[in-house]
Amino acid sequence: MIDYIIVGSGLAGISFAETALSNSKTIVVFNDDSQNSSKIAGGLYNPVILKRFSEVWQAQEQLQLMDGFYSRLNDKIESKVDFKIPILRKFFSIEEQNNWFTASDKPALAPFLSTSLIFKTFEGIDSPFGYGEVLQTGYVDTGLLLSEYHDYLLSNQLLRNETFDYNDLIIDEERVSYKGIIARHIVFAEGFGLQANPFFNELPLDGTKGELFIIKAPLLNLDVIVNTSVFILPLGKDLFKVGATYNWRDKTNLPTEEGRTELIDRIKEIISCDFEIIEHYAGVRPTVRDRRPLVGTHSEYKRVHVLNGLGTRGVMLGPAMAKALFDNIENDILLDKEIDIKRFTNKRKGKS
């Protein structure tokens, strides 16, 4: 008997896999590449919602946990995936500068917003009103992380590249079994694929489609991430990742002309030089209406668990939510009510 079957190997799945392995648990992971939002994600970690100048929920706790988490992964897969790099918010007016200073006076935001404006000149960007610097930021190369971690799992015979068939799962009081694999628990971390999961498909997971570009801009000289209505992230060799759009209607992984036009228009608001679109990606993020993850245990089957709804902040939320679920299962530590799926399942019970 092993400890965990983990279904899904995006940011949620590998966060739980690594948490379990680091606690000397045995696992097997199922992956079928049906969901690609983790693979193509921007991967930024940013403790401030710049659109509204508000703090990300439990930002400081998440940043502290993820720092050690990705540091261990860097060593394990022998590839650097975590890059500390400033995020600069480009200002378009004096009013935006004033809003920045007002926000930086708030106790919750003070650790994350520099009070010194930056007027550095970046070739290819006109910014007469300067920038505000967000502190404790960076990005995770999610594509490299997933590829290298999958290779690590595969080399240790911990990965099955196949679609999980829910009909073949047998659940008993003390164990679950699937095609000859017997485990103490099963964790579903399928991203937007949760829609097809018969155990958790009643949870209110809303997919939000995002589209991104890789552009080439030889005249853009940038060594920071610039963020306004979209972000521009330098990748080296004149390449930049740009994103992302938000579409609440389309639930496909196909790039659209609408998304292409929107991204081009927004890029032109930020940079003043020519650029070439090298790649155009799309994926459906697993988002939740109340902007909180979906973590917890099935109301009937105590060996069946879910880790989902990481949304646009998977690199920050993944390690923290995986730890919360692991501690809940192994040590009976209560889940925060804001992430526990009981906030929805109890409501349904009350109505029935």
Side-chain angles (χ1 to χ4, degrees):
M1 183 188 294
I2 64 170
D3 292 304
Y4 290 97
I5 295 171
I6 301 167
V7 183
S9 63
L11 286 169
I14 67 170
S15 292
F16 193 86
E18 182 57 25
T19 299
L21 290 174
S22 65
N23 283 277
S24 302
K25 302 300 180 183
T26 48
I27 66 169
V28 64
V29 180
F30 283 83
N31 166 59
D32 67 1
D33 280 331
S34 62
Q35 303 299 317
N36 69 339
S37 64
S38 290
K39 196 178 299 182
I40 68 159
L44 274 61
Y45 48 90
N46 174 6
V48 180
I49 301 170
L50 291 173
K51 187 176 181 179
R52 300 189 295 272
F53 286 126
S54 55
E55 182 195 11
V56 169
W57 175 72
Q58 293 189 349
Q60 195 67 70
E61 296 91 327
Q62 291 171 29
L63 287 170
Q64 289 172 352
L65 189 63
M66 62 162 274
D67 199 46
F69 182 86
Y70 291 116
S71 177
R72 291 195 303 274
L73 281 183
N74 282 339
D75 296 338
K76 173 170 279 191
I77 63 177
E78 298 180 344
S79 293
K80 184 175 176 61
V81 295
D82 181 13
F83 299 87
K84 311 295 184 187
I85 179 171
I87 292 179
L88 302 187
R89 168 67 154 82
K90 178 181 173 180
F91 297 132
F92 291 88
S93 66
I94 296 294
E95 182 183 7
E96 287 194 347
Q97 292 179 352
N98 292 335
N99 290 341
W100 177 274
F101 285 119
T102 299
S104 66
D105 280 338
K106 298 177 181 178
L109 295 177
F112 307 124
L113 299 180
S114 171
T115 55
S116 299
L117 298 189
I118 292 175
F119 288 94
K120 181 178 177 180
T121 299
F122 297 103
E123 187 179 347
I125 301 182
D126 295 326
S127 186
F129 297 100
Y131 307 87
E133 181 180 357
V134 188
L135 308 174
Q136 302 185 53
T137 61
Y139 75 96
V140 172
D141 186 335
T142 57
L144 179 63
L145 170 61
L146 267 60
S147 173
E148 293 292 322
Y149 199 79
H150 289 175
D151 287 347
Y152 165 79
L153 292 174
L154 201 58
S155 66
N156 287 277
Q157 299 181 313
L158 302 177
L159 182 66
R160 303 286 183 92
N161 285 311
E162 60 185 81
T163 299
F164 189 88
D165 187 342
Y166 306 104
N167 294 319
D168 287 335
L169 179 64
I170 300 170
I171 306 169
D172 296 320
E173 187 68 26
E174 298 299 324
R175 69 192 70 187
V176 298
S177 58
Y178 180 78
K179 295 184 177 180
I181 302 171
I182 301 172
R184 292 170 53 235
H185 300 276
I186 185 167
V187 174
F188 289 105
E190 304 151 293
F192 190 61
L194 187 78
Q195 299 273 331
N197 186 316
F199 301 102
F200 295 107
N201 60 8
E202 290 187 3
L203 292 173
L205 187 73
D206 290 334
T208 307
K209 182 173 183 171
E211 300 189 46
L212 300 94
F213 285 163
I214 303 295
I215 65 170
K216 187 168 187 176
L219 298 180
L220 180 59
N221 183 14
L222 199 61
D223 59 357
V224 298
I225 300 168
V226 173
N227 194 322
T228 58
S229 56
V230 294
F231 66 82
I232 299 181
L233 187 161
L235 300 174
K237 298 181 179 179
D238 298 329
L239 296 176
F240 302 84
K241 182 180 285 189
V242 182
T245 63
Y246 293 83
N247 186 323
W248 289 269
R249 302 180 309 278
D250 185 357
K251 309 298 182 184
T252 70
N253 290 326
L254 300 174
T256 65
E257 191 59 38
E258 178 187 2
R260 179 186 179 91
T261 301
E262 181 180 342
L263 281 174
I264 289 173
D265 289 344
R266 292 188 177 186
I267 292 170
K268 289 179 177 178
E269 291 176 354
I270 305 173
I271 70 176
S272 55
C273 59
D274 292 334
F275 60 91
E276 175 190 358
I277 300 168
I278 304 299
E279 298 284 355
H280 183 183
Y281 299 109
V284 181
R285 312 174 186 92
T287 53
V288 186
R289 292 169 205 160
D290 65 2
R291 295 194 174 99
R292 295 289 181 268
L294 298 170
V295 184
T297 299
H298 194 278
S299 58
E300 183 179 349
Y301 304 116
K302 303 308 179 187
R303 301 279 167 180
V304 180
H305 316 276
V306 65
L307 177 60
N308 210 309
L310 303 187
T312 61
R313 301 184 183 276
V315 296
M316 279 182 67
L317 280 169
M321 296 304 99
K323 182 179 187 302
L325 179 59
F326 183 86
D327 285 344
N328 177 250
I329 296 170
E330 297 292 341
N331 304 313
D332 289 325
I333 297 175
L334 290 178
L335 291 168
D336 189 311
K337 291 180 180 178
E338 292 199 55
I339 66 171
D340 196 330
I341 58 171
K342 288 178 182 177
R343 68 191 191 273
F344 299 115
T345 56
N346 285 346
K347 284 182 182 178
R348 285 203 301 272
K349 285 180 183 178
K351 290 180 181 179
S352 59

